Amino acid sequence: MNVLVIVLFLSAFLLTRVTILRTAVIVLLLQSLAVAAACVVLGLETSQFHMYLAALLTIIIKAGYIPAALFKIVGRLRREREQNPILSPNYTSLTAALAIVLAYGLIDQALPGVVTRNALAAAIALLLIGLLIIMVRRQAVMQIVGLITMENGIYLLGLSVVKGLPLVIEFGVFLDILVAAVVLVILTYRLKISFLSTDTTQLRKLKG
Amino acid sequence: MQVLMYLIVIIPLVGALLSYVQKNRNGLRIVNFVASVAMTGLALVLVYQTARHGALRYGMFYIDELSGLLLTVVSILTLTATLYSFSYMEREVVQGHLAAARLPGYYAMLNILSFTMVAVLLVENLGLMWVAVEATTLASALLVAFQLNRTAIEAAWKYVMVCTVGICFALLGTILLYYTQVNVAGSAIEALSWLQLAALSERLDPVMVKLAFIFILIGYGTKAGLAPMHTWLPDAHSQAPSPVSGLLSGSLLSCAMYVIIRNLIIVQNTLGQAFGQYLLIGFGLLSVAIAIPFILLQHDIKRLLAYSSVEHMGLITLGLGIGTPLAVYGALLHIFNHAVAKSALFYLAGDITQEYHTKHILRIRGLITAMPLTGTLFMLFIIAAVGVPPFGIFTSKMTITWASFAAGQPVLGFFILLLLSGIFAGMIFYCAKMVLGAPAQPVRKAQSGALSQIAFLLSFLIIAGAGIYLPTWFNGMLLRAAALVSGGGY
């Protein structure tokens, strides 16, 4: 489990540094695989069949379909990359490090002595770093990656606090993420067609 | 009853499927007319039965007086939005804003949106509720982007991003609530069933519940358009096709508010009323206050209405925050009145923008000569929306303010009145500018389609009627729903 936590931290850090969209999607893919592996580990510990199913769903949706869709769109956005991000990679990494410290601090405050301390901290750090990326990156694809990172964080949190949600709800959550990704990819295509670029800072016409 | 409940959920889905495969324009009309009338009729029967005989539960479906009220709102608005869509979308096609081939897609999405909203109201589970609320965002996002021009895509992108991030926090809060439930209920758990959570609420861990509620309020508050998370709202509401704007503003915001209320009931039992009250009053006051400058200096007719929605949602939150049975009664009544009046206003604004080819307030002149029926109704609905008697919104705004004085918070009541007068000034000023006077250029007299006129008049009858007389069963349902919220417990 600790290895996986390290992989997750690493993926979050890498996301703060990448400026090439394709690399960001690869990192996201690795991160989702680590979350799926965490499901399997928990399944081995608790011997619940439910966990393996969750791992399978994670692989199909978050490590399969969503990265595939993102790769496809990134392939059409050859000239797009994260230029002049709102917060430079160095500062973003620094903020991410602070987020990890904050995550450990929160866990020790709210749930002192919890067994899954590291996994929980990773979950909260992913959540915060995902949010950070949505806020400080201009590219639509980077924001989608940030959103899925956030979602991975919440999923990991559920996994380490309550061993995952009941199956029906979990199915629903996965379905929503899938549809959300589809909707966002469609909108990104439309951004490219209408604005000739997927830089979201162009979206500032609606005001007041 | 059980069959009725399943039918209400299934009919919109069937409607969506049939609309999607329909090539013929008349066939599309018939399918949607039948589906919306059937759904509305059945839903109202179900609500009436609930009001008469109390809560009903079948498996994971549940309806009580509170969800009954919201189901009334959603079903009435589904009907009026569908009726209005016929003339609005056809005129969009005629005016060349839209290809006729895209109409089946529009109606299919509209039906899916009503399906997701009904699902929010009928499931007895906080987790599934979350799933349904997120589904409403996704279903409506493509409708917001439906025009596919730059501004529509900008609005849709902001809408999905802001609301999905917000709703992620709500999921976090829901997971934390589940954690407290697991700790208390052990093996006898019905995961995230709010009936069980409310029953156990006195034994839940207060610190965790507090944390959970903050996340939940921020998350669903984003969806309900509470300030300062309301930024997506004016964009999405102004860019969506008008029938969709009406649905978003009237029923989608109300559905998000409903989910907050369900969580509030549990939280109040665990922590007492004070904690939730401070948060809700804070968000409520801020939402009402933040709307004022945007209403006083507005150039876009639909954004004007959207900010008025922010104000109304703030007022509902305030009512919930004051927390006495009277205040909650006022807030619930306000949900109903707001939905009917605001949706009709958005429909009328749609007719107006189609006629004048602009949303710019200063370019719209002399509505009352150019479009007599639409202009008159627009003025009447604006007057209703700012809370002038004898319309329903007067009653609910009055009740909330009165409850604030009665609950021993005269300063709050004074503030509410002050803020409302600011809103009143802005709305009436712009409304008078648009409706009165002579048209800048001669406009030929235009009429909206017969079905959409029926939708306007239906809304008008309801909002005028609600100010004068509420049917006994409806009033009883409201009173019991208010007792559920302020009394805590099912």
Side-chain angles (χ1 to χ4, degrees):
Chain A
M1 198 68 187
N2 279 335
V3 180
L4 290 174
V5 170
I6 292 169
V7 172
L8 287 172
F9 277 136
L10 188 70
S11 76
F13 259 111
L14 280 175
L15 277 184
T16 62
R17 304 214 60 86
V18 287
T19 51
I20 301 165
L21 302 183
R22 178 173 291 276
T23 323
V25 182
I26 294 174
V27 175
L28 181 72
L29 177 66
L30 285 177
Q31 186 191 80
S32 299
L33 282 177
V35 171
C39 285
V40 174
V41 171
L42 264 177
L44 289 173
E45 279 174 12
T46 57
S47 62
Q48 275 178 334
F49 176 67
H50 163 187
M51 286 292 157
Y52 300 116
L53 212 59
L56 189 70
L57 277 174
T58 309
I59 289 178
I60 294 175
I61 291 174
K62 283 189 195 157
Y65 180 80
I66 292 176
L70 288 177
F71 274 130
K72 201 172 154 201
I73 193 167
V74 165
R76 295 210 196 166
L77 305 174
R78 288 186 194 290
R79 302 225 317 275
E80 302 285 342
R81 51 178 298 167
E82 185 68 41
Q83 277 163 338
N84 314 318
I86 297 160
L87 199 63
S88 76
N90 289 337
Y91 285 113
T92 317
S93 298
L94 196 66
T95 320
L98 285 179
I100 290 174
V101 175
L102 186 71
Y104 272 105
L106 274 177
I107 299 301
D108 290 342
Q109 278 284 317
L111 296 163
V114 70
V115 192
T116 48
R117 177 165 176 262
N118 287 330
L120 260 175
I124 293 182
L126 280 185
L127 180 73
L128 293 173
I129 294 171
L131 190 61
L132 180 70
I133 288 173
I134 295 175
M135 290 193 294
V136 301
R137 291 290 177 263
R138 293 162 178 259
Q139 282 292 336
V141 175
M142 290 299 282
Q143 293 191 354
I144 299 176
V145 168
L147 192 66
I148 307 287
T149 305
M150 238 184 119
E151 175 50 54
N152 271 340
I154 290 177
Y155 187 68
L156 195 66
L157 186 103
L159 218 54
S160 43
V161 176
V162 283
K163 310 268 179 292
L165 291 167
L167 204 56
V168 191
I169 302 174
E170 206 136 290
F171 266 122
V173 174
F174 273 113
L175 189 68
D176 274 345
I177 295 166
L178 183 67
V179 179
V182 172
V183 168
L184 284 170
V185 166
I186 293 176
L187 287 177
T188 313
Y189 273 118
R190 286 289 161 185
L191 279 180
K192 181 71 183 166
I193 295 171
S194 304
F195 290 85
L196 306 174
S197 146
T198 53
D199 184 342
T200 56
T201 43
Q202 306 172 89
L203 305 178
R204 52 173 180 229
K205 213 172 163 215
L206 298 174
K207 268 190 189 146
Chain B
M1 283 305 111
Q2 196 171 0
V3 182
L4 211 57
M5 216 184 268
Y6 293 144
L7 273 179
I8 294 169
V9 181
I10 292 168
I11 287 174
L13 277 184
V14 176
L17 202 69
L18 287 181
S19 306
Y20 195 68
V21 296
Q22 202 65 240
K23 293 277 177 292
N24 180 326
R25 194 183 293 180
N26 272 330
L28 207 55
R29 276 181 167 231
I30 292 166
V31 165
N32 280 285
F33 184 75
V34 172
S36 62
V37 169
M39 194 206 107
T40 307
L42 293 178
L44 290 180
V45 170
L46 182 64
V47 170
Y48 183 69
Q49 291 296 336
T50 315
R52 293 291 298 277
H53 305 298
L56 297 163
R57 183 179 185 183
Y58 303 105
M60 57 185 181
F61 290 102
Y62 183 88
I63 182 169
D64 63 3
E65 287 84 359
L66 184 57
S67 33
L69 170 72
L70 270 294
L71 190 62
T72 318
V73 167
V74 170
S75 54
I76 291 177
L77 260 59
T78 305
L79 180 65
T80 55
T82 313
L83 290 182
Y84 177 60
S85 288
F86 295 143
S87 71
Y88 180 84
M89 295 314 276
E90 260 169 41
R91 270 221 263 178
E92 287 287 281
V93 173
V94 172
Q95 293 190 350
H97 298 305
L98 209 65
R102 295 192 60 215
L103 285 180
Y106 168 80
Y107 285 108
M109 294 305 294
L110 199 65
N111 275 303
I112 289 178
L113 180 59
S114 23
F115 160 73
T116 53
M117 288 192 293
V118 170
V120 172
L121 302 179
L122 290 184
V123 292
E124 193 273 316
N125 187 301
L126 291 180
L128 290 177
M129 224 179 229
W130 183 89
V131 172
V133 172
E134 171 68 357
T136 60
T137 312
L138 302 171
S140 48
L142 291 180
L143 284 172
V144 170
F146 201 74
Q147 306 274 9
L148 288 183
N149 51 25
R150 281 187 169 201
T151 45
I153 289 167
E154 173 180 349
W157 180 266
K158 287 181 181 167
Y159 174 45
V160 180
M161 257 352 222
V162 174
C163 282
T164 311
V165 169
I167 215 108
C168 274
F169 284 111
L171 180 60
L172 185 64
T174 309
I175 289 176
L176 291 178
L177 261 187
Y178 181 45
Y179 173 69
T180 60
Q181 190 192 12
V182 171
N183 282 352
V184 174
S187 56
I189 194 163
E190 292 176 63
L192 282 173
S193 140
W194 36 259
L195 283 174
Q196 199 190 32
L197 272 165
L200 294 173
S201 56
E202 273 154 20
R203 288 158 57 205
L204 299 176
D205 174 11
V207 180
M208 268 302 168
V209 170
K210 215 178 243 185
L211 196 61
F213 185 63
I214 291 174
F215 283 124
I216 286 172
L217 187 58
I218 290 177
Y220 291 123
T222 310
K223 198 80 180 63
L226 297 181
M229 296 88 75
H230 69 288
T231 46
W232 61 272
L233 189 148
D235 297 352
H237 287 202
S238 65
Q239 294 307 316
S242 277
V244 180
S245 311
L247 265 187
L248 286 179
S249 171
S251 46
L252 199 49
L253 298 181
S254 311
C255 282
M257 200 51 92
Y258 162 81
V259 183
I260 294 180
I261 297 175
R262 282 287 182 217
N263 282 291
L264 184 68
I265 293 175
I266 299 165
V267 173
Q268 279 186 341
N269 282 355
T270 312
L271 302 170
Q273 279 205 326
F275 176 70
Q277 277 181 359
Y278 284 123
L279 283 175
L280 289 172
I281 289 181
F283 276 120
L285 267 185
L286 188 63
S287 306
V288 179
I290 227 164
I292 292 179
F294 294 100
I295 284 180
L296 290 179
L297 287 175
Q298 191 49 260
H299 53 87
D300 182 321
I301 176 171
K302 283 174 88 178
R303 289 180 85 86
L304 184 75
L305 300 176
Y307 278 108
S308 159
S309 295
V310 175
E311 172 241 336
H312 280 184
M313 283 298 131
L315 208 58
I316 291 164
T317 318
L318 268 174
L320 293 173
I322 295 167
T324 57
L326 183 66
V328 176
Y329 173 85
L332 294 178
L333 185 59
H334 199 60
I335 290 183
F336 177 76
N337 287 330
H338 156 80
V340 175
K342 194 50 62 63
S343 59
L345 272 172
F346 271 113
Y347 305 155
L348 289 164
D351 263 13
I352 294 168
T353 48
Q354 279 184 332
E355 192 56 38
Y356 282 78
H357 302 288
T358 176
K359 283 188 228 164
H360 207 291
I361 289 177
L362 296 178
R363 293 200 198 112
I364 300 172
R365 278 276 175 279
L367 270 175
I368 208 137
T369 21
M371 313 168 80
L373 179 70
T374 311
T376 315
L377 279 176
F378 187 74
M379 184 131 204
L380 283 172
F381 271 112
I382 289 270
I383 288 175
V386 293
V388 172
F391 299 104
I393 290 190
F394 166 71
T395 323
S396 48
K397 281 189 172 172
M398 170 86 180
T399 312
I400 294 173
T401 326
W402 172 24
S404 150
F405 283 108
Q409 298 181 325
V411 183
L412 181 64
F414 174 74
F415 260 118
I416 298 176
L417 285 176
L418 196 68
L419 294 173
L420 287 184
S421 59
I423 308 264
F424 179 87
M427 296 281 282
I428 293 291
F429 174 70
Y430 286 118
C431 170
K433 274 198 157 190
M434 287 185 283
V435 173
L436 305 176
Q441 67 262 31
V443 198
R444 67 192 160 73
K445 288 208 170 167
Q447 283 304 329
S448 41
L451 282 174
S452 63
Q453 284 180 7
I454 292 176
F456 301 154
L457 290 175
L458 184 69
S459 309
F460 185 72
L461 284 181
I462 294 174
I463 197 72
I468 299 161
Y469 168 74
L470 286 177
T472 329
W473 65 271
F474 189 77
N475 200 32
M477 182 169 80
L478 272 175
L479 283 170
R480 278 195 300 280
L484 279 185
V485 180
S486 54
Y490 293 92

